[in-house]
Amino acid sequence: MNDAEKWDDGCKTCKIRNEFFIPMTAQLLYKAKSSYVCDIGAGTGYTAHSITHEMGLNNLKWDLFEPNEHRYNFICRRFADDSRFKVRNESFPNGSHEAAQYDAILLHFLLLEFQPFPDFFKAVSKALTTDGIAIVAYPDIWTDIRQHYEARDPH
């Protein structure tokens, strides 16, 4: 099992992701009437896949940005036959994309691993349509630490 497969397996067992972040994000996308979504730091595409296939928002078009080569290849395989998903082997470009194109931009767990460039949030804002939304999800680090230690010693 490679790193991307391990990553995806970890997503499947993450209660915070599956019971809170993904349903909350699906609800926000539905309420905002989103049709074109950008996921920055898409990992293995687990979030996009879950929202589209398990939450039933199958009318969405996605741009998935993932700079990690292994996870990028995993996403390409996952969505190989699905034209709703465009996968990019890069982090979110600094202003090089057409302005005001996304109805929503997801930043799920991204800020744990990514050091935003100086004008990152300006670029995110510029890439959103007038009524577009940015959904930033940052997990509670103390919950992660507690779960880690409980898994090691449940007593």
Side-chain angles (χ1 to χ4, degrees), residues 23-47:
M24 175 204 66
T25 299
Q27 185 177 30
L28 289 170
L29 293 173
Y30 177 78
K31 284 182 177 180
K33 297 182 172 94
S34 299
S35 61
Y36 193 18
V37 181
C38 172
D39 189 352
I40 303 173
T44 59
Y46 182 83
T47 298

Side-chain angles (χ1 to χ4, degrees), residues 12-152:
K12 291 174 188 171
T13 60
C14 178
K15 285 187 174 199
I16 292 171
R17 183 181 309 265
N18 292 299
E19 294 177 14
F20 179 69
F21 286 119
I22 289 173
M24 175 204 66
T25 299
Q27 185 177 30
L28 289 170
L29 293 173
Y30 177 78
K31 284 182 177 180
K33 297 182 172 94
S34 299
S35 61
Y36 193 18
V37 181
C38 172
D39 189 352
I40 303 173
T44 59
Y46 182 83
T47 298
H49 181 267
S50 295
I51 288 171
T52 303
H53 294 94
E54 293 170 30
M55 295 297 195
L57 295 180
N58 52 19
N59 63 327
L60 297 174
K61 178 181 167 189
W62 293 82
D63 274 357
L64 306 171
F65 289 85
E66 178 51 56
N68 177 282
E69 191 71 30
H70 297 289
R71 292 189 293 255
Y72 166 77
N73 290 332
F74 187 98
I75 299 174
C76 288
R77 287 189 305 275
R78 170 173 261 162
F79 299 120
D81 297 325
D82 196 331
S83 63
R84 295 172 294 181
F85 298 89
K86 184 174 184 179
V87 184
R88 300 170 184 264
N89 188 208
E90 58 185 308
S91 57
F92 190 67
N94 188 357
S96 66
H97 278 186
E98 185 180 323
Q101 63 179 341
Y102 298 113
D103 298 311
I105 295 178
L106 307 185
L107 301 146
H108 276 196
F109 302 104
L110 174 74
L111 301 176
L112 292 172
E113 301 180 14
F114 173 73
Q115 188 67 34
F117 51 83
D119 290 330
F120 175 75
F121 290 104
K122 253 189 224 178
V124 167
S125 179
K126 183 180 175 187
L128 287 167
T129 59
T130 304
D131 295 327
I133 59 172
I135 303 171
V136 180
Y138 194 86
D140 176 1
I141 191 71
W142 296 113
T143 300
D144 290 348
I145 292 169
R146 181 181 50 80
Q147 288 175 349
H148 171 76
Y149 282 102
E150 286 175 354
R152 292 178 66 201

